[in-house]
Structures are given as structure tokens and as C-alpha cells.
């Protein structure tokens, strides 16, 4: 499927480029892969990061944009990621990081490119489950900074996924959200005899 990656805000990209050019920012990032990388590091594949703060039996509340994530490529592979966030003064660089979500994001994007429908890739974080998904939004022309998952959108859990949820298996939002809602809804307390 053709992926229509939404353009990142220019100020967000500038903050990442500035951080990459700063030896202090790279050194303090504590990302060994970025420190050891040979050749130029370039930010690629900007993805808006949306957060789903609340799952309720009634449905999905709108997501909120938390920032933009850029994969940092050195040579032929992504070695780290850079995250930006919006403040009252505009976009700022937040941090560099590495770990399993880098390779998992790349794998999910490659997987999405083989699907028949066109979509817009985003990241959807579900903090209450410590879960990150690649959100394949069906409206490829939508503003990447807003909206909420449509029932027909696809969510691809990234590894490591919560126990019982298979990583890299695409799910329609209408199928996966009830499972997630059940997981975050506290079980009713048993009444105690008096």
C-alpha cells in the first residue's frame, strides 16, 4: 500500500536537525547506537505520536497529539529515534532514544507497504497498557496532527506488545479496542459478607 506520510511541522524537523548537529545533545542522549554510528545521521519518516489517554466501554475518546517522532538513519538502517513536543513557545526537541520500538516500527511500516489500501501512518500510544501501535489511518489526506481512530483504521501493535496481544498482527480498530478496553477496565470488587 502506498503510505502517505504526513509532513512534520518544519520547526519540529529543525529542532531535530539542530540536536543532531550538537555534539552535546548527541553525547548526552545516552544512545550508544547513535554515538557509535559512522557517517551522517539523518531524520526520516516523521510520524505524529498520538496518545489515547482513556478507553471506555462507550468508545474511544479523541486522541491528543503528543509530538512527532523521527527515525534517525545512519547508512542503511535506523539506529535511534528523535522525539519532539509542542510547547506554548512552539516545537522543541525532546530526546533521542533507541530500543526495540525502532526496529519494530520499521518492520510494521514495511508490512504496511504490502497491504492493498492506501493509508496515513501514525503512532498511537496507549499509556495505561504500556502499548505502542502503528496506526494506519484510512484517510491519507487527513491532518496528521488531529483526529481519532476510525473503526476501519488498522492498528499494528509494536513489539514488545502487552501479554496476550500479538505484535505485528494488524487489527481493525473496531476489533482491537474492545479487547484493550476490557484490559484497562478494573474488575468489579467482590462484595464481602457482612
Amino acid at each position: 500500500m502506498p503510505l502517505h506520510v504526513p509532513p512534520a511541522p518544519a520547526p519540529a524537523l529543525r529542532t531535530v536537525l539542530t540536536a543532531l548537529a550538537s555534539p552535546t545533545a548527541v553525547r548526552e542522549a545516552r544512545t550508544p547506537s547513535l554515538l557509535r554510528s559512522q557517517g551522517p545521521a539523518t531524520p526520516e519518516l516523521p510520524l505524529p505520536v498520538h496518545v489515547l489517554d482513556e478507553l471506555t466501554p462507550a468508545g474511544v475518546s479523541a486522541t491528543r497529539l503528543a509530538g512527532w517522532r523521527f527515525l534517525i538513519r545512519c547508512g542503511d538502517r535506523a539506529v535511534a529515534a528523535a522525539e519532539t513536543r509542542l510547547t506554548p513557545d512552539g516545537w522543541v526537541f525532546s530526546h533521542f532514544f533507541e530500543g526495540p520500538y525502532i526496529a519494530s516500527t520499521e518492520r510494521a511500516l514495511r508490512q504496511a507497504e504490502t497491504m492493498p489500501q492506501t493509508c496515513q501512518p501514525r503512532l498511537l500510544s496507549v499509556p495505561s497498557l504500556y502499548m505502542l501501535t502503528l496506526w494506519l489511518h484510512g484517510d491519507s489526506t487527513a491532518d496528521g496532527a488531529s483526529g481519532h481512530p476510525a473503526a476501519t483504521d488498522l492498528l499494528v501493535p509494536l513489539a514488545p506488545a502487552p501479554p496476550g496481544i500479538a505484535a505485528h498482527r494488524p487489527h481493525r480498530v473496531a476489533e482491537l479496542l474492545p479487547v484493550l478496553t476490557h484490559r484497562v477496565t478494573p474488575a468489579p470488587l467482590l462484595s464481602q459478607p457482612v
Side-chain angles (χ1 to χ4, degrees):
M1 124 185 28
L3 294 177
H4 290 278
V5 178
L13 175 58
R14 277 194 301 273
T15 66
V16 171
L17 291 170
T18 300
L20 281 170
S22 165
T24 304
V26 171
R27 189 172 47 254
E28 290 179 359
R30 295 190 179 93
T31 51
S33 295
L34 189 57
L35 288 170
R36 288 190 308 262
S37 65
Q38 300 294 319
T42 56
E44 295 182 352
L45 288 170
L47 296 173
V49 180
H50 292 263
V51 176
L52 185 57
D53 289 316
E54 185 177 352
L55 288 165
T56 65
V60 178
S61 62
T63 62
R64 66 178 168 84
L65 180 68
W68 283 80
R69 180 173 297 172
F70 298 78
L71 293 180
I72 305 300
R73 187 167 300 282
C74 290
D76 63 344
R77 67 184 191 96
V79 297
E83 193 125 335
T84 63
R85 61 184 172 83
L86 187 60
T87 69
D89 294 326
W91 288 98
V92 297
F93 171 76
S94 176
H95 61 281
F96 290 115
F97 65 94
E98 60 183 56
Y101 286 129
I102 308 299
S104 188
T105 300
E106 283 191 306
R107 177 179 171 187
L109 287 166
R110 283 192 306 272
Q111 182 181 358
E113 288 172 342
T114 66
M115 296 178 183
Q117 67 271 27
T118 301
C119 69
Q120 181 186 85
R122 303 171 176 194
L123 293 172
L124 180 66
S125 173
V126 185
S128 58
L129 293 175
Y130 302 101
M131 181 178 184
L132 185 64
T133 68
L134 179 65
W135 167 15
L136 300 172
H137 189 50
D139 183 357
S140 60
T141 61
D143 176 6
S146 63
H148 65 278
T152 56
D153 287 352
L154 292 175
L155 296 177
V156 181
L158 300 181
I165 296 176
H168 298 287
R169 181 172 172 255
H171 301 271
R172 294 244 177 254
V173 167
E175 298 163 357
L176 185 59
L177 284 183
V179 172
L180 301 181
T181 301
H182 177 70
R183 289 226 170 167
V184 298
T185 304
L189 295 174
L190 298 175
S191 61
Q192 296 188 7
V194 182

